[in-house]
Amino acid sequence: MSRQVLGVEEVDMAAEALRIAEFAKFKPAYYLDEINEIQINGSSWRMLASVEIENSEEEHFLAVMDKWTLSAETIIPPVERTVVDDLNKTQEPSHNGADLGLVNSHIRRTLIPKRKGKDCWLEEDVVVSKLDSSKYVQFIPRVTNPSDIPFYYPQVATYGFGYIRTGADCTACTLVILVRELTIGSAVATKKQRSVWQDLIKKLYKWTVTERFGYQKHSEHDVIIGYEQYTAKYHQLKAKYAQRWVEGWPEQTDPKKFVYEDIAIASWLICLWEQDTVAQDNRQPTFVDLGCGNGFLVYLLTSEGYNGYGIDQCARKIWTQYDCHVDLRAQTLEPFNFVTNADWVIGNHADELAPWVPIVAANSTSPSTKFVVIPCCPHDLSGKKMPLKANAGQSKYHIYVKYICDLSEQCGFITEREYLRIPSTKNVAILGCARTHGDHRESIAKLCESGQSDFVARIPDSVKNKLSMEKAKQRAHKPALPAE
């Protein structure tokens, strides 16, 4: 069964211009240093922020609240996921809540933190109410003692968002953030708490505006691998490998980028391969990583019990720090002549080798070899950089992704895509798992022939540095021209 990636790769520039114009009208009022107490239906609230909003309706506000209710991690980053325990509960909400009018809905949910061994879960009521022509949404922690509120949650008895109609004819609208504090000032006691409320009113405004314009997400994550499965594996590998390698990274590159990004990619691949194990009669898949660079991804996969190796044009300093069973090979690769019997061919930001990954997989001695490529800088089969032209609303990166997908389909693969949760804007994984019926040997041979005739292997960095030093020496010893 084909899995479809949702999202758009072209932006409606007219709608985007209108949306950005609305964003420019964002002029909030903050009440963080002064106490702005208001009465709503007989209950006292402290208003922390407000902003006027034009042309947005109640349903736009409620659509944002629905998203934030079902996915608390959207606005509370330390939360891993949200479990809705019951919809429209008949029981009364926690006693910490307040009467904000007619209750339209009452949801009970549980917030599950990322650091499960350190932070506690939190049960919470979410109550949507209507009072006159205004709407309110309360978030009420179900705790008996304020000390039971975890660090990642606002230090309040309850907090809420409001869509308030104002003016004589109730046509003007204001978005507000309201809290009922545990003690005076507990909601804004630290600089971080203040920045959270400032960020939330901005998000509330932008998301409400965006709902009005019928926003469609540019990418949809977790289509092939489920969010819970992936995050569980990611946190497991992060706890196992991250600290050691971030602190002891021997390369000049940023350890946080490479360590966390490769842990994320390894987590996703392992989840994918755990599904693939069933198809392989419980045999773990083997792999080859083309253009493996620092080899950290190969190290992670090998350390987790997968057999494979990585190839790169030159060795890196870090290679000597890996265990001896990590197989990394320094060699110049001619992709049109390279043959493997690995179950998976990987190309992770492999530059000039990236478009060759599906061809190498198709030329494998095993008819079941699959591939995954995460493209970065655009190169064609000659190894040269591609001059891409994008129209308004298009991304050059997605044009390149489409180019590799076209190559994959010419090789007979049913191509899939997934937006990975990695700290990079170049985060599309292209997969070739299943193959179409028919003989594609002729088209594969033509691709190899056209690429081979023009292919120019990259000059190793060590050679580049040596040539640069020699040129510098020649310039230094070049005799000066005689003065006229």
Side-chain angles (χ1 to χ4, degrees), residues 141-252:
R142 295 185 64 83
V143 295
T144 54
N145 193 313
S147 62
D148 295 332
I149 296 177
F151 91 95
Y152 58 80
Y153 195 84
Q155 299 303 298
V156 295
T158 180
Y159 72 97
F161 302 98
Y163 174 89
I164 303 175
R165 289 196 176 275
T166 56
D169 54 359
C170 291
T171 55
C173 300
T174 303
L175 302 175
V176 298
I177 296 179
L178 307 167
V179 298
R180 300 177 75 198
E181 297 183 293
L182 298 170
T183 58
I184 296 176
S186 66
V188 292
T190 67
K191 183 178 180 181
K192 185 173 183 179
Q193 288 173 327
R194 291 165 175 253
S195 67
V196 166
W197 300 119
Q198 291 171 334
D199 184 56
L200 278 177
I201 193 68
K202 187 175 184 179
K203 275 188 176 179
L204 179 59
Y205 180 89
K206 285 191 169 185
W207 285 45
T208 305
V209 167
T210 297
E211 284 294 330
R212 175 160 67 92
F213 285 98
Y215 176 70
Q216 185 179 358
K217 290 180 70 174
H218 292 178
S219 60
E220 190 74 35
H221 299 277
D222 316 313
V223 175
I224 296 174
I225 302 298
Y227 174 77
E228 293 181 16
Q229 181 187 6
Y230 162 77
T231 53
K233 180 61 68 176
Y234 174 75
H235 291 302
Q236 177 192 342
L237 297 191
K238 180 182 173 184
K240 192 173 180 180
Y241 299 106
Q243 183 176 355
R244 170 194 169 189
W245 287 102
V246 167
E247 293 177 354
W249 192 252
E251 302 286 342
Q252 297 297 315

Side-chain angles (χ1 to χ4, degrees), residues 89-156:
K89 293 182 70 70
T90 56
Q91 299 100 314
E92 286 298 312
S94 168
H95 62 84
N96 292 326
D99 182 4
L100 287 177
L102 178 65
V103 174
N104 293 150
S105 68
H106 170 204
I107 293 173
R108 187 158 295 164
R109 66 180 187 175
T110 301
L111 310 184
I112 301 176
K114 292 176 180 177
R115 304 189 309 174
K116 297 179 180 60
K118 295 184 178 181
D119 304 324
C120 62
W121 296 19
L122 180 67
E123 195 176 64
E124 185 185 34
D125 286 316
V126 183
V127 180
V128 180
S129 306
K130 183 176 180 67
L131 183 63
D132 299 326
S133 56
S134 301
K135 281 279 188 178
Y136 298 94
V137 181
Q138 288 185 79
F139 295 83
I140 312 162
R142 295 185 64 83
V143 295
T144 54
N145 193 313
S147 62
D148 295 332
I149 296 177
F151 91 95
Y152 58 80
Y153 195 84
Q155 299 303 298
V156 295

Side-chain angles (χ1 to χ4, degrees), residues 339-457:
V339 178
T340 181
N341 63 351
D343 296 311
W344 283 84
V345 180
I346 301 171
N348 173 26
H349 293 183
D351 291 341
E352 71 273 12
L353 294 178
W356 283 97
V357 170
I359 300 173
V360 169
N363 275 331
S364 167
T365 57
S366 169
S368 60
T369 294
K370 306 172 179 66
F371 77 85
V372 57
V373 57
I374 306 168
C376 184
C377 303
H379 293 77
D380 59 23
L381 293 176
S382 72
K384 298 174 184 176
K385 286 195 173 181
M386 294 178 66
L388 299 175
K389 291 185 179 180
N391 298 322
Q394 282 185 317
S395 158
K396 287 184 179 181
Y397 179 64
H398 283 99
I399 293 174
Y400 185 53
V401 166
K402 186 178 184 304
Y403 166 75
I404 295 182
C405 289
D406 289 343
L407 291 175
S408 168
E409 288 164 7
Q410 289 179 60
C411 292
F413 287 100
I414 297 173
T415 309
E416 303 174 87
R417 286 180 285 175
E418 173 83 292
Y419 288 84
L420 302 181
R421 294 181 177 274
I422 60 176
S424 172
T425 56
K426 311 295 175 61
N427 64 340
V428 175
I430 304 169
L431 287 90
C433 295
R435 305 198 187 196
T436 58
H437 298 293
D439 189 346
H440 297 85
R441 285 178 294 182
E442 184 177 347
S443 60
I444 295 169
K446 286 182 178 179
L447 289 174
C448 287
E449 183 180 347
S450 64
Q452 181 176 359
S453 61
D454 298 324
F455 187 78
V456 178

Side-chain angles (χ1 to χ4, degrees), residues 320-339:
T320 61
Q321 298 195 16
Y322 297 138
D323 299 331
C324 61
H325 62 278
V326 178
D327 189 353
L328 297 169
R329 308 174 187 181
Q331 66 183 75
T332 297
L333 190 70
E334 292 183 336
F336 41 83
N337 287 327
F338 180 75
V339 178

